[in-house]
Amino acid sequence: MKHFELLMGTKLAKTPGVQLAVDLTGVALAIAILLIGGVTNVWAWTLLPGGLLVAAVIRTTIVARRDNTP
């Protein structure tokens, strides 16, 4: 269940690299859905991937700044 929570974004990863990889996978999935759906709206192409990229940077920063000492 832990991996599912990580992929759904309800739980943060333990390392910044894993968090960034998960978030960038979400961006790639959103772009693929836009391509497959044939979306031509410029706002959709700008806001959806852009918003996900901003969220990826913020979430990765949170994980990087978090104290991971055992």
Side-chain angles (χ1 to χ4, degrees):
M1 193 65 176
K2 179 179 80 169
H3 299 294
F4 181 72
E5 290 174 342
L6 186 68
L7 291 174
M8 291 301 295
T10 58
K11 184 175 182 180
L12 294 174
K14 293 193 184 298
T15 62
V18 172
Q19 185 64 50
L20 186 60
V22 168
D23 289 338
L24 291 181
T25 302
V27 173
L29 182 62
I31 290 173
I33 290 171
L34 289 172
L35 283 171
I36 291 170
V39 176
T40 58
N41 187 344
V42 175
W43 286 106
W45 278 99
T46 305
L47 295 177
L48 184 60
L52 289 174
L53 280 174
V54 169
V57 169
I58 291 171
R59 289 165 50 96
T60 303
T61 304
I62 290 171
V63 172
R65 291 179 176 259
R66 188 170 53 185
D67 185 21
N68 287 329
T69 55

